[in-house]
Amino acid sequence: MNRIIVLLALAAGLALPATASRAAELIMFERAGCAWCARFNAEIGPIYGKTGESRAAPLRRVDLSGPLPADLAGIDPGPFTPTFVVVQEGREIGRIRGYPGDAFFFGLLNRILSNTGSEPEKS
């Protein structure tokens, strides 16, 4: 009986990492020479890492002049840069095509993050 309990506990422990929810991630698809990417970098880039949105979905940049990382093979970056895609557990949750300016960016991102269960902390 004790052996069965130990085996069940071990099986449950091994299954937890596979079923645990990974945090969302904000992927920024960009290319060199993109004026809107440069504007995002000037307006949002310096502050994003200090925001609740960053804690809910850290920013990861992907340069489209190179190959897509293997873990993003199922995500279509689209034709426009920048394109921001919120990904959770390998699935696209939502995207922002282009950079709409700092006044709209966080509102659009918060709407997407509300679908992930990783809503930003209010500060």
Side-chain angles (χ1 to χ4, degrees):
M1 181 69 163
N2 286 341
R3 179 178 270 171
I4 292 172
I5 293 171
V6 170
L7 288 174
L8 287 173
L10 180 62
L14 291 174
L16 285 176
T19 59
S21 178
R22 289 186 292 173
E25 189 174 38
L26 176 62
I27 311 296
M28 177 183 178
F29 293 104
E30 60 186 337
R31 350 183 115 78
C34 167
W36 291 99
C37 298
R39 185 169 168 196
F40 171 86
N41 290 334
E43 294 177 359
I44 304 293
I47 64 165
Y48 187 78
K50 302 171 187 171
T51 64
E53 289 81 2
S54 174
R55 288 183 287 285
L59 179 64
R60 176 178 168 195
R61 296 168 179 272
V62 175
D63 185 349
L64 290 177
S65 64
L68 283 181
D71 65 322
L72 298 178
I75 306 295
D76 178 15
F80 306 108
T81 55
T83 294
F84 301 90
V85 180
V86 176
V87 175
Q88 186 174 35
E89 296 180 3
R91 281 186 31 238
E92 178 175 333
I93 304 301
R95 69 175 50 213
I96 301 169
R97 289 175 183 89
Y99 173 60
D102 60 348
F104 294 102
F105 178 79
F106 285 108
L108 293 170
L109 180 57
N110 284 325
R111 186 178 304 164
I112 294 168
L113 290 175
S114 69
N115 295 325
T116 67
S118 300
E119 292 188 55
E121 301 167 5
K122 304 292 183 205
S123 34

